[in-house]
């Protein structure tokens, strides 16, 4: 009996050891010469818990990613509004064996939060694979039926409309501010510490409008519990064909989370080229596209490394201005 | 009608596929092991299993995950009872009465009672989940920031109940807990607090690392002082399949209260099992005829804690299935398991995927029953942990704690947090500061703070809207009552004789 207990413990310990350390088994590259890459599996840090949008996206990519027989492993490293996992990659060896799943807007957010110094150089861009536009929605028995109702109410009662979003001084608030500026309204932004709390508060009527990404309310909108009023993409979303886009309202806004992959600063160009090519191949796979669109809830959207840099250069001054606006 | 169809489909799904039965039993077993080993949690077990479920059918995958969840939450009671170290955060409160009962030479009684309470809690929450899930999900929506704030305050007032012999030190300990929880990025303003330039502290102290530091490492340091290398001869009472009648007599209300509080707390997003069992423990203590016996190995205490933490699982499934909003970390992972198989969680799940709904219902019920029989069947085996020399046992537990905290986030930093907090907790304990209030402060502090601030922001700085919230006011008044009552009753009692509640 005692032997069995001991064996069970030893066995459990062994399993845990293997599971924990298998993820860290990337080989280190000693010299700066063009070593053949990759020589092992590539670890993707997902800065959110298992089961979330970023995690599912990475795992969908994992199923199709294959460079010379080497694939991806996924490590969830949550906390600090994704900063813990992101910093882990930022401080890692620039050898291409530890990369980050994040969004362009999130990366710019660190920059402005004073965590990182320069807008383009802090991470080495690899590319984006999906776009998750922001959306403004209300619960089904709300007094607001259209976005015009919301704007009219906010104009009559400046600062009275409770506008729920996730995180303070972050992407949600900055993107909201872009809308407030365009519509010339003043509202009361209520920050929640997680997306599920934002939607719960909106559903329960504790806030007047809910600001989040399409993937976060897709299920609730399909069942009619929440009504999307306007999406922030340039065109209407494939998920909500009935809902107008910002452009239709005459606002020049195209904002959301462009999610993709980033490597540590200073990662050699030849490694980036290899990764970029493989991610593009995954993107071009229709099976993958279908999986992401139907199950995970993101619209496929490809940008290569240069295009990501371009978006950062174009969006950064705008984001900066918005941040100043909400800091007032 | 729809529910009965779903259940029928669930039963046929689960029992027609032998692999599902296998996953169910294996999952519960694995869960119990993860739950019972300090440092490894149900959440870790479920997240390790998640990638494997991608290759299974949706029914197989969901059954496996549900089984690990149920086993993992229940398994924590084993180590909480036998070695006074909670196997997982959910079982902290079980230590208060489970461990004293075991020390009095009745480990089998404590374990049987705890397992039975887990079973009852699980089944009652399953009944609520199956019959009125869509209706009760609205409870989650009715709870706004003011209500969550009031609930946190009510929970914190338990401190006084726990430590009525030295309220000042209890309050200091609770304050230390609140301060520890403040470290990191503040969710309401995104400001960095108490990080002292360490980016690793941006997310604050990891919950598991802090809890294991307080309860496992500090406890080990403490017990080392009186360490006897030779284990004392083991006397185990006769084992029974059901708890002895004396333990159950007059406690049926306790089972009900624990299970209902557990289910309701489970429905609220981001609150969790440890808060559920704390609130239930406090409530049961208030209602008890013998509140002074709590903390000394009292049956009601074990029932309150274990029925609530397992009922919390069923509760957390309610918003996950009806709204697509997870009640805790494990259901967030389960949600991922649904999405990967192309299933849409939320109100449409009940109309579009009845068969899946039925499978989750049935596997949750069966997992609870399997959990009970596995816990009972294995009892002879794990009760022998008490016969293992402590110098061996402590070494193993410490290794598991370090590995467990590392594997939560793959950061060695968290393991250092475990050791650091353990050393501080050791000194606090030896200066007669009780440790449970620190955990209370650590878990409830952020709930109180963020919800109060969000509520104040929503009301544009005014406190008046609180008066329009009957639920919040009711909870606050109850909290006040909890604070004042022990002091009053103590004064009354001290006139007759000196009675004081023990401080765990």
């Amino acid at each position: 009996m005692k032997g069995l207990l001991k064996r069970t413990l030893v066995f459990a310990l062994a399993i845990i050891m293997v599971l924990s350390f298998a993820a860290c088994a990337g080989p280190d590259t000693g010299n700066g010469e063009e070593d053949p890459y990759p020589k092992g599996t590539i670890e993707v840090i997902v800065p959110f818990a298992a089961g979330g949008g970023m995690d599912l996206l990475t795992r969908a990519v994992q199923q199709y990613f294959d460079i010379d027989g080497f694939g991806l492993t996924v490590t969830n490293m949550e906390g600090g509004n994704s900063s813990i996992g992101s910093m882990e990659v930022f401080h890692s060896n620039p050898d291409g064996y530890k990369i980050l799943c994040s969004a362009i807007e999130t990366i710019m957010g660190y920059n402005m939060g004073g965590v990182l110094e320069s807008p383009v150089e802090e991470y080495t861009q690899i590319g984006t694979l999906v776009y998750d536009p922001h959306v403004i929605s209300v619960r089904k028995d709300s007094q607001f039926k259209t976005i015009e109702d919301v704007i009219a109410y906010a104009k009559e009662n400046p600062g009275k409309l409770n506008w729920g979003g996730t995180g303070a001084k972050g992407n949600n608030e900055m993107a909201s501010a872009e809308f407030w500026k365009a519509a010339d309204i003043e509202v009361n932004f209520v920050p929640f510490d997680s997306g599920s709390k934002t939607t719960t508060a909106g559903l329960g009527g504790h806030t007047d409008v809910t600001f989040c990404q399409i993937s976060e309310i897709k299920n609730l909108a399909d069942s009619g519990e929440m009504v999307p009023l306007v999406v922030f993409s340039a065109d209407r979303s494939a998920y909500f064909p009935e809902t107008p886009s910002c452009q239709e309202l005459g606002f020049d806004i195209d904002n959301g989370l462009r999610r993709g992959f980033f490597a540590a600063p200073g990662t050699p160009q030849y490694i980036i080229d290899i990764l970029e090519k493989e991610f593009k191949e995954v993107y071009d796979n229709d099976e993958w596209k279908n999986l992401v669109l139907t199950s995970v809830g993101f619209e496929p959207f490809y940008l290569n490394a240069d295009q990501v840099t371009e978006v950062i250069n174009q969006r950064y001054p705008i984001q900066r201005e918005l941040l100043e606006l909400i800091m007032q | 009608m729809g529910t009965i169809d779903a259940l029928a489909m669930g039963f046929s799904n689960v029992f027609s596929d032998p692999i599902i039965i296998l996953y169910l039993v294996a999952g519960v077993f694995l869960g119990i092991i993860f739950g019972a080993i300090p440092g490894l949690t149900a959440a870790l077990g479920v997240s390790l299993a998640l990638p494997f479920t991608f290759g299974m059918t949706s029914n197989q995958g969901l059954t496996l995950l549900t089984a690990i969840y149920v086993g993992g939450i229940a398994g924590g009671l084993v180590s909480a009872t036998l070695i006074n170290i909670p196997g997982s955060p959910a079982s902290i409160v079980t230590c208060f009465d489970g461990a004293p009962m075991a020390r009095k030479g009745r480990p089998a009684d404590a374990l049987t009672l705890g397992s039975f309470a887990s079973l009852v809690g699980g089944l009652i929450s399953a009944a609520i989940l199956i019959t009125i899930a869509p209706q009760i999900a609205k409870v989650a929506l009715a709870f706004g920031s003011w209500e969550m704030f009031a609930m946190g305050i009510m929970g914190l007032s338990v401190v006084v109940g726990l430590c009525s012999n030295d309220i000042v030190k209890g309050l200091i300990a609770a304050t230390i807990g609140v301060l520890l929880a403040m470290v990191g990025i503040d969710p309401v303003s995104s400001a960095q607090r108490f990080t002292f330039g360490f980016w690793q502290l941006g997310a604050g102290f990891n919950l598991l690392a802090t809890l294991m530091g307080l309860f496992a490492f500090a406890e080990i340091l403490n017990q080392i002082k009186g360490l006897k290398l030779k284990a004392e001869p083991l006397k185990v009472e006769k084992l029974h399949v059901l708890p002895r009648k004396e333990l159950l007599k007059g406690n049926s209300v306790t089972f009900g209260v624990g299970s209902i509080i557990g289910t309701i707390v489970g429905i609220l997003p981001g609150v969790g099992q440890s808060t559920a069992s704390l609130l239930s423990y406090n409530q049961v203590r208030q209602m008890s005829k013998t509140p002074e016996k709590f903390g000394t190995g009292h049956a009601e205490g074990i029932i309150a804690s274990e029925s609530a933490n397992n009922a919390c699982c069923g509760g957390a499934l309610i918003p996950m299935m009806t709204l697509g909003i997870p009640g805790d970390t494990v259901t967030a992972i389960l949600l991922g398991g649904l999405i990967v198989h192309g299933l849409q969680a939320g109100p449409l799940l009940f109309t579009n995927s009845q068969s899946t709904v039925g499978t989750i219902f049935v596997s949750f019920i069966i997992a609870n029953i399997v959990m009970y029989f596995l816990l009972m069947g294995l009892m002879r085996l794990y009760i022998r942990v008490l016969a293992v020399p402590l110098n061996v046992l402590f070494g193993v537990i410490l290794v598991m704690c370090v590995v467990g905290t590392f594997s939560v986030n793959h950061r060695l930093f968290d393991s250092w947090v475990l050791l650091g907090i353990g050393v501080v907790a050791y000194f606090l304990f030896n200066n007669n500061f009780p440790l449970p209030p620190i955990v209370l402060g650590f878990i409830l502090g952020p709930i109180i703070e963020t919800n109060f601030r969000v509520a104040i922001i929503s009301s544009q700085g005014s406190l008046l809207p609180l008066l329009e919230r009957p639920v919040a006011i009711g909870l606050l008044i109850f909290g006040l009552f909890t604070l004042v009552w022990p002091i009053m009753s103590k004064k009354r009692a001290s006139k007759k004789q000196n009675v004081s509640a023990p401080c765990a």
Side-chain angles (χ1 to χ4, degrees), chain B residues 141-154:
Chain B
L141 303 181
F143 257 66
S145 302
W146 285 118
E147 284 80 12
M148 296 283 270
F149 157 72
M151 192 189 71
I153 294 281
M154 188 181 90

Side-chain angles (χ1 to χ4, degrees), chain A residues 2-286:
Chain A
K2 198 170 162 188
L4 181 58
L5 177 73
K6 203 188 233 169
R7 260 180 285 149
T8 315
L9 276 175
V10 169
F11 177 69
L13 186 64
I15 296 253
I16 302 311
M17 292 278 197
V18 169
L19 289 173
S20 310
F21 293 106
C24 321
D28 44 66
T29 43
N31 50 30
E33 293 302 305
E34 290 206 6
D35 283 334
Y37 174 88
K39 288 192 289 190
T41 52
I42 297 155
E43 183 184 14
V44 182
I45 303 278
V46 174
F48 294 96
M54 290 282 202
D55 181 62
L56 295 176
L57 169 66
T58 312
R59 292 185 197 274
V61 172
Q62 186 189 24
Q63 293 183 27
Y64 300 96
F65 189 99
D66 185 343
I67 310 179
D68 308 332
F70 293 112
L72 300 176
T73 59
V74 182
T75 303
N76 299 95
M77 205 178 265
E78 58 172 311
N81 250 333
S82 87
S83 70
I84 293 300
S86 310
M87 288 297 112
E88 178 71 24
V89 176
F90 181 75
H91 291 283
S92 70
N93 267 343
D95 54 12
Y97 287 101
K98 196 180 257 191
I99 61 176
L100 174 72
C101 178
S102 188
I104 298 181
E105 291 73 15
T106 312
I107 296 286
M108 284 195 284
Y110 295 135
N111 188 272
M112 282 175 285
V115 182
L116 301 173
E117 273 156 23
S118 110
V120 179
E121 285 123 43
E122 71 268 25
Y123 284 94
T124 315
Q125 287 78 28
I126 302 171
T128 68
L129 296 184
V130 297
Y131 186 28
D132 194 8
H134 298 302
V135 57
I136 298 173
S137 51
V138 292
R139 66 174 183 161
K140 66 174 176 217
D141 38 10
S142 161
Q143 53 169 316
F144 307 117
K145 300 290 167 225
T146 63
I147 189 67
E148 284 82 8
D149 295 347
V150 175
I151 295 175
Y153 177 87
K155 282 204 166 142
E156 269 168 47
N157 309 280
K160 287 271 182 281
L161 184 82
N162 277 338
W163 182 290
T166 309
K169 314 281 177 269
N171 282 320
N172 271 2
E173 195 174 353
M174 279 191 275
S176 298
E178 197 171 6
F179 185 85
W180 305 332
K181 200 176 145 201
D184 189 26
I185 54 172
E186 206 179 298
V187 306
N188 183 32
F189 185 79
V190 185
F192 293 89
D193 56 4
S194 76
S196 63
K197 286 181 193 161
T198 309
T199 34
T200 314
L203 266 180
H206 304 291
T207 52
D208 299 316
V209 299
T210 302
F211 186 89
C212 60
Q213 286 83 57
I214 287 180
S215 65
E216 288 180 299
I217 61 146
K218 197 175 127 272
N219 291 341
L220 292 165
D222 286 350
S223 66
E225 298 289 319
M226 293 290 274
V227 183
L229 297 182
V230 60
V231 293
F232 276 37
S233 47
D235 304 310
R236 289 191 177 200
S237 158
Y239 295 116
F240 308 141
E242 311 281 306
T243 308
S245 70
C246 269
Q247 306 276 348
E248 287 173 51
L249 298 177
F251 304 145
D252 183 23
I253 297 175
D254 182 5
N255 203 347
L257 295 180
R258 296 166 180 91
R259 302 180 201 250
F261 295 88
F262 299 82
T267 307
Q269 188 58 43
Y270 77 95
I271 290 179
I272 296 298
D273 291 341
I274 295 169
L275 287 171
E276 191 181 7
K277 190 167 148 270
E278 180 57 31
F279 279 117
K280 177 76 167 88
E281 244 166 62
V282 171
Y283 177 82
D284 286 335
N285 186 330
D286 284 333

Side-chain angles (χ1 to χ4, degrees), chain A residues 78 159 168 188 206 219 222 295, chain B residues 141 188 190 339 344 409 457 460:
Chain A
E78 58 172 311
N188 183 32
H206 304 291
N219 291 341
D222 286 350
S295 309
Chain B
L141 303 181
V188 184
S190 289
I339 295 173
Q344 208 175 15
N409 237 355
I457 291 175
Q460 329 236 329

Side-chain angles (χ1 to χ4, degrees), chain B residues 396-475:
Chain B
V396 173
I397 291 175
L398 205 53
V399 168
M400 295 317 288
C401 286
V402 171
V403 173
T405 45
F406 173 80
S407 53
V408 171
N409 237 355
H410 306 93
R411 293 206 306 166
L412 210 49
F413 183 80
D414 293 329
S415 305
W416 286 113
V417 168
L418 162 94
L419 300 179
I421 288 193
V423 171
V424 173
Y426 171 78
F427 284 109
L428 284 173
F429 185 81
N430 281 290
N431 287 293
N432 299 323
F433 286 96
L435 298 181
I438 302 185
V439 181
L440 279 175
F442 188 78
I443 294 174
L444 296 173
I447 294 179
I448 295 171
E449 190 208 344
T450 46
N451 283 298
F452 179 71
R453 286 170 68 192
V454 165
I456 282 286
I457 291 175
S458 315
S459 69
Q460 329 236 329
S462 164
L463 278 173
L464 290 176
L466 177 61
L467 300 177
E468 296 163 12
R469 302 291 203 134
V471 177
I473 292 286
L475 291 174

